[in-house]
Amino acid sequence: MASLVSQDEINVFTGDFQNLFDTFKRSITVFKRPKKVVTASNVNDQNIYFGYDSQNVAPDVVESYETVSGSFDVMITYKDNQESDELSDLNTFSYNGDVRIKVQEDCRDFIKQGKTENIQFDNKVFNVVGDEAVKYFFGYKLYVFHLKATK
């Protein structure tokens, strides 16, 4: 089937999109729900079955949480509209501008897998709003997430 764009031109376009991403990429940290770790001390052969042995010594159980996070390179775009006062004639408000991040597939998969607690960059904390949108450039995919700053 005929195409308006040759394969050589497609290779140039996708290379340009990759170069654009590499030029403007910045690092973010994605935090997932912490992983619960349970450890028990003083467990030995005599009290391994608590309640069923002669010593009846309960093991010391300690719960802790491990941070689960990942660092990824993304393109960040801030919208220009920021919070303002009530617009007197319209009885409406202008709300905080959102932030968009364009991510590659590894970051998208990390954000989508399990519960994402928040995303941090520029000394700010953001929550993901909605699902991602796919931007498809002749086979080169980027995923766009909208973020809202936490207060």
Side-chain angles (χ1 to χ4, degrees), residues 27-147:
S27 184
I28 65 168
T29 304
V30 179
F31 288 92
K32 304 301 278 182
R33 179 168 285 163
K35 181 179 177 182
K36 185 177 184 178
V37 178
V38 178
T39 56
S41 63
N42 78 341
V43 175
N44 55 41
D45 290 341
Q46 278 72 38
N47 63 2
I48 194 165
Y49 300 108
F50 175 65
Y52 293 98
D53 65 344
S54 59
Q55 292 186 8
N56 210 18
V57 177
D60 293 329
V61 176
V62 177
E63 293 180 1
S64 60
Y65 292 89
E66 288 181 2
T67 302
V68 179
S69 65
S71 182
F72 298 94
D73 291 328
V74 304
M75 290 176 62
I76 301 170
T77 305
Y78 286 93
K79 289 180 97 178
D80 289 336
N81 56 334
Q82 299 301 320
E83 188 173 357
S84 68
D85 296 330
E86 181 179 0
L87 301 174
S88 59
D89 292 340
L90 301 176
N91 288 336
T92 187
F93 292 88
S94 168
Y95 296 100
N96 284 337
D98 68 345
V99 177
R100 288 177 289 164
I101 56 173
K102 285 185 184 176
V103 305
Q104 294 177 321
E105 193 166 1
D106 59 338
C107 181
R108 176 218 175 253
D109 292 344
F110 190 77
I111 291 172
K112 296 291 284 183
Q113 175 187 356
K115 170 77 170 123
T116 297
E117 293 286 325
N118 59 57
I119 297 176
Q120 297 181 10
F121 54 90
D122 291 344
N123 296 319
K124 296 178 184 172
V125 180
F126 299 90
N127 290 330
V128 176
V129 179
D131 288 330
E132 80 279 11
V134 180
K135 300 297 181 181
Y136 186 81
F137 305 102
F138 296 107
Y140 181 71
K141 290 182 186 178
L142 290 175
Y143 302 89
V144 178
F145 287 92
H146 289 257
L147 309 178

